[in-house]
Amino acid sequence: MSNATKNSIETKNLHVGYQQKNSVNLIQQNISIQLAKGEFVGILGKNGIGKSTLLRTLTGVQEAISGDVIINGKNIKSYNYRELSTIISLVLTEQLPDSQLTVFDLVALGRQPYTNWVGKLEKKDLEKIRWALEQTETTALAHRYFYELSDGQLQRVLIARALAQDTQIIMLDEPTAHLDMHHTIKIFQLLKKLSQETNKTIIMTTHEVNLAIKGADQLILLTEKDVVAGKKEALIANNSFDTLFSSEIVNFNATLEQFIITKKS
């Protein structure tokens, strides 16, 4: 099987950051990774290391400084906006603007790449919306206004919107931010289940390092020196987690396969 068929996302010598007027703010460089179709992928690293910048670059929302992002064997620059919106969906943690949208209305927005210019929902669109609500266990919330929801409920609804968009790839930026432990675990379980049952590639940035190590099929680790990607076992064997956080407070325990609080002597 060729890489073009096997990999849903590939990067080649990717440099990410921000282009300013007379200079470039380079955040991460020489990123070369391959993510297979149907994988649940976690992007890990400390605050400000470039997790969200990398995610936005992989979606095409933010332009790369240099290098290539390959989606299904084709350079991301070769896709127009409409084409890309049927391949990649993005879930952000930004506050939604004030409106009178119900949960159903919000999830239905995921069908915009497929509806005609008046946004009329056809039978297939309604089926996708109902399926997305069922998958995220939000059907009972369909007629509630989105601003009435708890943080955990709203996060599941935003994931439902991405599912209704019916893309091969779903990317999420800190989907468990501001959630308690119970709802955080529920979101991880939901995303893992969706990747397994729908064969969609699901990529998320997260600070929930131990949950990601336990549940992700592949991990992308961002440090000041480099970016490494691989399965948990390979990253442990290469001591890759040891440099993820330069802190005397936590250390990675290879036996337990998780970060633990360092005991003071």
Side-chain angles (χ1 to χ4, degrees), residues 7-53:
N7 298 317
S8 59
I9 299 181
E10 182 178 359
T11 67
K12 297 179 179 179
N13 300 317
L14 183 67
H15 290 50
V16 301
Y18 298 91
Q19 184 77 49
Q20 299 169 328
K21 286 186 177 180
N22 300 313
S23 63
V24 172
N25 180 12
L26 186 62
I27 297 179
Q28 291 288 348
Q29 58 187 326
N30 297 320
I31 305 170
S32 295
I33 57 177
Q34 295 180 347
L35 306 178
K37 185 177 181 181
E39 283 190 321
F40 178 33
V41 182
I43 302 177
L44 308 179
K46 68 179 186 180
N47 284 340
I49 203 69
K51 298 187 300 296
S52 296
T53 303

Side-chain angles (χ1 to χ4, degrees), residues 66-90:
S66 64
D68 298 299
V69 176
I70 311 297
I71 307 294
N72 294 336
K74 182 178 174 181
N75 196 298
I76 196 170
K77 295 178 182 178
S78 301
Y79 292 98
N80 61 41
Y81 175 78
R82 186 179 182 85
E83 289 173 331
L84 207 55
S85 66
T86 63
I87 299 171
I88 300 174
S89 52
L90 178 61

Side-chain angles (χ1 to χ4, degrees), residues 116-228:
N116 58 31
W117 67 275
V118 293
K120 182 180 179 181
L121 297 173
E122 305 292 346
K123 180 181 179 181
K124 181 178 179 180
D125 300 310
L126 293 171
E127 289 174 349
K128 292 291 183 182
I129 293 167
R130 294 190 187 103
W131 173 79
L133 291 168
E134 289 171 0
Q135 289 294 312
T136 54
E137 299 180 359
T138 52
T139 303
L141 305 174
H143 299 294
R144 292 178 60 180
Y145 293 110
F146 78 85
Y147 56 76
E148 298 176 327
L149 306 180
S150 68
D151 288 341
Q153 289 172 329
L154 181 58
Q155 195 59 54
R156 283 189 286 135
V157 169
L158 293 176
I159 294 171
R161 183 179 64 182
L163 285 177
Q165 196 171 332
D166 196 23
T167 57
Q168 302 165 23
I169 302 166
I170 300 175
M171 301 199 194
L172 308 98
D173 193 14
E174 293 288 347
T176 60
H178 314 302
L179 299 187
D180 59 29
M181 182 179 294
H182 171 77
H183 288 98
T184 293
I185 293 172
K186 289 274 286 184
I187 292 296
F188 266 85
Q189 290 175 335
L190 170 62
L191 295 175
K192 179 71 173 179
K193 170 177 171 285
L194 290 172
S195 69
Q196 292 175 331
E197 295 183 359
T198 67
N199 204 33
K200 295 180 184 294
T201 306
I202 298 180
I203 306 168
M204 65 181 291
T205 65
T206 181
H207 287 294
E208 301 294 340
V209 178
N210 286 339
L211 284 176
I213 292 172
K214 180 178 177 63
D217 299 308
Q218 187 167 183
L219 297 161
I220 302 172
L221 310 184
L222 279 65
T223 70
E224 285 88 351
K225 293 183 178 180
D226 57 13
V227 176
V228 296

Side-chain angles (χ1 to χ4, degrees), residues 238-252:
N238 293 331
N239 300 317
S240 299
F241 291 110
D242 294 346
T243 57
L244 191 60
F245 301 107
S246 54
S247 171
E248 297 179 356
I249 300 175
V250 295
N251 281 306
F252 185 73

